[in-house]
């Protein structure tokens, strides 16, 4: 299996390398200073894959949402000062999406902005978070409330690091994979359906091919709208419901991609019930795919799996809290067909009530 390279055609453009040896190509230019920000657990597991980074100044931090705090950001910025980095230097991040979010934000702020290179090590980070330049930390008021757009100069998605992902982490990544395939079009969705069994079994070729296909779809969307003024909002398919679920459950109780999976099921039924969706069989088809991948296709499923109440009233409060929604009425991305999203839609109150009560 070779390494695939996909270009994200932002200004400037950057490469995303994907495959089971992608990290072999990560040889940072040391002339202007380079430092490493890594998830401590992931560095223990996979640091050997990148001997070229072994002697760099290194800051190891715990992964997960705990990485995305003001205190960690300050620690990362202080580390860059101690490592004597300049605006011409590069910060390499090594870990899941939370490490990329923290490192990307740190790089965008340090001395008014230096380069960042991401080496994402989870499926969620490889197919979604590492591409597109979103950076963020969480504030007391909610997730991702402080952030920037700061495109990386390169991304290295080495699929060897996916081998040890806990089942829950893999499932989380697969939720974003289904979302991206739904935006990519009929061929992407059909190929994902064919490959679902191999993906679940962790087949290296299926993983590498899927990551490459999803990155290609996301790259196109991001290049068309790097700062999310319009078409990029399609990537929020399923996310208005997902954020409501995460909020209602209490952050951290439902993995993001699992909430996205349930949110996709809801968004598809909303698309059909509101008369937008051309193919009434699509929700059932996507539900079957989500189940095949071990993901919930809606709220009933999710409640049973996670042992959560997820009361409609709590979900409605979560919808009101969603930062991407309108203040008065939440907005949704729905589908007219596979590959044809419709942005900025509100839902009839009775339809919303029936969806939340399913
Ligand atoms: N994760 C959605 C985006 O990058 O826009």
């Amino acid at each position: 299996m070779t390494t695939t390279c996909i270009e994200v055609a932002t200004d400037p453009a950057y490469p995303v390398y994907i495959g089971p040896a992608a990290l072999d190509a990560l040889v940072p230019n040391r002339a202007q200073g380079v430092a490493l920000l890594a998830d401590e657990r992931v560095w223990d597991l996979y640091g050997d894959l990148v001997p070229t980074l072994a002697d760099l100044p290194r800051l190891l931090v715990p992964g997960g949402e705990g990485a995305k705090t003001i205190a960690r950001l300050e620690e990362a910025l202080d580390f860059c000062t101690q490592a004597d980095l300049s605006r011409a230097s590069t910060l390499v991040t090594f870990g899941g999406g939370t490490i990329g979010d923290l490192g990307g934000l740190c790089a965008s702020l340090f001395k008014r902005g230096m380069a960042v290179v991401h080496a994402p090590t989870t499926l969620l980070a490889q197919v979604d978070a590492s591409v597109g330049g979103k950076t963020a930390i969480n504030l007391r008021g909610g997730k991702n409330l402080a952030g920037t757009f700061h495109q990386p100069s390169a991304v290295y998605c080495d699929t060897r690091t996916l081998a040890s992902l806990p089942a829950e982490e893999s499932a989380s990544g697969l939720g974003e994979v289904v979302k991206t395939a739904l935006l990519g079009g009929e061929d992407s969705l059909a190929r994902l359906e064919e490959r679902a069994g191999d993906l679940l079994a962790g087949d290296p070729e299926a993983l590498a091919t899927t990551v490459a296909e999803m990155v290609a779809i996301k790259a196109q969307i991001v290049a068309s709208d790097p700062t999310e003024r319009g078409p990029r909002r399609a990537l929020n398919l399923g996310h208005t419901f997902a954020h409501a679920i995460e909020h209602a459950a209490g952050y951290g109780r439902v993995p993001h991609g699992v909430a996205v999976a349930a949110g996709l099921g809801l968004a598809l039924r909303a698309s059909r019930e509101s008369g937008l969706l051309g193919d009434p069989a699509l929700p059932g088809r996507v539900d079957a795919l989500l189940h095949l991948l071990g993901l919930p296709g809606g709220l009933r499923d999710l409640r049973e799996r996670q042992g959560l109440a997820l009361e409609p009233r709590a979900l409605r409060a979560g919808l009101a809290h969603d930062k991407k929604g309108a203040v008065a009425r939440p907005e949704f991305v729905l589908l007219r067909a596979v590959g044809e999203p419709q942005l900025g839609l509100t839902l009839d109150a009775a339809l919303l009530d029936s969806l939340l009560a399913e």
Side-chain angles (χ1 to χ4, degrees):
M1 254 180 294
T2 52
T3 299
T4 305
C5 179
I6 290 164
E7 185 184 79
V8 185
T10 44
D11 183 19
Y14 56 95
V16 183
Y17 300 99
I18 300 147
L23 283 172
D24 296 357
L26 176 42
V27 184
N29 176 355
R30 292 169 178 245
Q32 306 292 340
V34 190
L36 174 69
L37 173 74
D39 178 321
E40 57 193 9
R41 196 186 58 82
V42 177
W43 184 251
D44 261 6
L45 280 172
Y46 294 117
D48 287 353
L49 297 180
V50 270
T52 53
L53 306 184
D55 64 335
L56 294 180
R58 177 161 82 217
L59 176 64
L60 299 181
V61 297
E65 292 297 318
K68 293 176 56 171
T69 63
I70 290 265
R72 284 279 176 227
L73 176 63
E74 188 179 11
E75 186 185 358
L77 289 164
D78 284 342
F79 160 71
C80 293
T81 312
Q82 283 148 18
D84 211 16
L85 300 186
S86 74
R87 194 184 291 173
S89 304
T90 301
L91 184 67
V92 179
T93 74
F94 191 81
T98 57
I99 299 296
D101 278 4
L102 172 68
L105 182 55
C106 171
S108 75
L109 296 175
F110 187 71
K111 298 194 175 169
R112 300 199 174 84
M114 64 172 170
V116 67
V117 163
H118 294 308
T121 57
T122 63
L123 185 59
L124 187 79
Q126 293 192 356
V127 298
D128 190 42
S130 65
V131 176
K134 279 190 178 176
T135 82
I137 55 167
N138 304 326
L139 299 180
R140 267 190 288 274
K143 276 180 72 173
N144 295 331
L145 291 188
T148 54
F149 284 101
H150 186 59
Q151 301 293 340
S153 4
V155 181
Y156 296 82
C157 301
D158 195 311
T159 47
R160 283 173 293 183
T161 63
L162 305 180
S164 63
L165 277 188
E168 206 169 64
E169 284 266 1
S170 288
S172 202
L174 289 170
E176 292 286 357
V177 165
V178 175
K179 174 205 79 178
T180 309
L182 278 166
L183 296 172
E186 179 52 44
D187 288 352
S188 311
L189 185 63
R191 279 196 295 272
L192 181 58
E193 287 170 323
E194 270 168 35
R195 222 182 276 133
D198 292 339
L199 270 179
L200 256 196
D203 177 75
E205 183 133 16
L207 278 168
T209 312
T210 302
V211 173
E213 282 191 18
M214 300 308 131
V215 168
I217 294 166
K218 180 157 184 190
Q220 227 176 14
I221 296 173
V222 164
S224 73
D225 179 20
T227 53
E228 201 178 34
R229 308 264 173 226
R232 180 169 178 172
R233 281 158 52 213
L235 290 166
N236 293 325
L237 178 64
H239 280 60
T240 307
F241 286 117
H243 292 146
I245 289 167
E246 289 177 274
H247 187 265
Y251 285 108
R253 302 269 319 265
V254 181
H256 176 66
V258 173
V260 167
L264 289 174
L266 288 161
L268 279 161
R269 286 190 284 288
S271 304
R272 182 182 59 201
E273 302 313 319
S274 59
L276 187 72
L277 188 65
D279 172 10
L282 187 62
R285 181 179 163 197
V286 173
D287 200 46
L289 175 60
L290 291 168
H291 282 131
L292 204 57
L293 291 170
L295 291 162
L299 286 168
R300 194 175 310 139
D301 245 2
L302 188 62
R303 287 186 181 102
E304 276 168 25
R305 281 161 194 249
Q306 306 283 133
L308 293 167
L310 293 173
E311 303 281 0
R313 185 203 299 245
L315 290 164
R316 241 179 258 114
L319 282 174
H321 186 265
D322 179 21
K323 73 181 180 350
K324 291 190 176 117
V327 175
R329 295 186 71 188
E331 289 187 359
F332 297 84
V333 179
L334 301 184
L335 285 184
R336 287 189 296 273
V338 180
E340 288 182 40
Q342 172 106 22
L343 312 178
L345 296 174
T346 53
L347 289 181
D348 172 78
L351 172 55
L352 193 54
D353 283 349
S354 77
L355 288 166
L356 298 185
E358 72 173 16

